[in-house]
Amino acid sequence: MAHHASAQKQMRQGQKRRARNRQNVSQLKTQVKKLRAAIAEGNAKAAESLLSGTVGQIDKAAKKGVIHDNAAARYKSRLTRKVRALAAAK
């Protein structure tokens, strides 16, 4: 437990940041999971509609520093390739 006022304030700020980051990560994982489920089902129309929302969520997480920029690019690239391959197969 912190004893100095500044250290106590840092702990409070850290708790707020941690809660906000966890919320952003949770939203991102949920969105990616929905898209991957649509891809696994072979539902090209649903996957296409979920892709733009998912890419936006990934960009938002990267902008806030929740995930690394390169990780965001990797997620977007892989998911986009899977959706396009699914659409091409139909």
Side-chain angles (χ1 to χ4, degrees):
M1 184 68 196
H3 296 290
H4 295 284
S6 61
Q8 290 172 343
K9 181 179 178 181
Q10 283 298 315
M11 282 182 57
R12 288 193 306 271
Q13 288 177 334
Q15 288 172 343
K16 288 180 186 175
R17 287 188 187 113
R18 192 162 39 254
R20 192 165 45 240
N21 285 341
R22 285 178 65 102
Q23 182 181 16
N24 287 331
V25 167
S26 177
Q27 288 175 350
L28 175 63
K29 284 184 176 182
T30 302
Q31 190 73 22
V32 169
K33 199 182 298 184
K34 285 180 185 175
L35 178 57
R36 286 185 177 154
I39 292 169
E41 290 174 4
N43 193 345
K45 190 173 265 191
E48 191 70 40
S49 65
L50 284 170
L51 181 64
S52 62
T54 305
V55 167
Q57 195 72 38
I58 292 169
D59 286 336
K60 181 179 175 184
K63 181 180 175 188
K64 292 178 181 286
V66 174
I67 60 172
H68 196 273
D69 290 340
N70 289 354
R74 189 174 60 243
Y75 275 126
K76 291 190 294 187
S77 174
R78 288 178 181 172
L79 290 171
T80 304
R81 265 191 305 169
K82 287 181 181 178
V83 170
R84 287 188 180 157
L86 184 65
K90 291 289 176 172

